[in-house]
Amino acid sequence: MACPGCGPRALRLLYLKDAEALDYSPEAGELERFERTLIALSAAIERAKRDRDFRPKPSRLCGWCSYQALCPQFGGTPPPFPESPSTSTFVADTEPDRVGALLRDDPVG
């Protein structure tokens, strides 16, 4: 178990198909950068939801996509944006504490 305020000693990825385990021992700086990246990504998603700004991002994979009829990139019309009775709002000041607590859990015990 990790000490309070310390990062995890190891991260473990379990491949269920062949029961292979991959362990990785991150440095504190890596975890901090990853946490900042996740917070920024979450804020960007919340901003896009609020502004209803979901522009297509064309790539070579577009040719395989089953949703071209709904994609503005292909002249399609996207479905109406779903209305939600309650929208969650991201609070940047409190979210890092929750994420940090999750990152401090020791997955390999």
Side-chain angles (χ1 to χ4, degrees):
M1 183 163 246
C3 65
C6 296
R9 291 182 304 216
L11 303 174
R12 178 170 284 172
L13 180 62
L14 300 172
Y15 291 94
L16 300 178
K17 183 176 181 181
D18 56 10
E20 184 179 344
L22 176 66
D23 290 340
Y24 176 68
S25 298
E27 295 178 7
E30 290 176 281
L31 292 175
E32 290 165 3
R33 286 189 299 277
F34 185 65
E35 181 178 18
R36 284 193 303 271
T37 299
L38 289 178
I39 290 168
L41 179 60
S42 178
I45 291 169
E46 291 299 323
R47 200 169 33 256
K49 283 173 39 181
R50 180 193 68 225
D51 298 343
R52 297 178 180 196
D53 183 15
F54 291 96
R55 290 175 237 166
K57 186 175 180 181
S59 76
R60 287 185 279 158
L61 297 176
C62 290
W64 294 90
C65 184
S66 301
Y67 296 96
Q68 289 180 4
L70 300 173
C71 182
Q73 188 68 28
F74 292 91
T77 303
F81 196 85
E83 295 298 327
S84 175
S86 64
T87 57
S88 68
T89 55
F90 177 77
V91 180
D93 292 335
T94 60
E95 199 65 16
D97 294 334
R98 188 180 68 78
V99 173
L102 291 172
L103 291 174
R104 284 189 290 275
D105 292 341
D106 184 2
V108 292

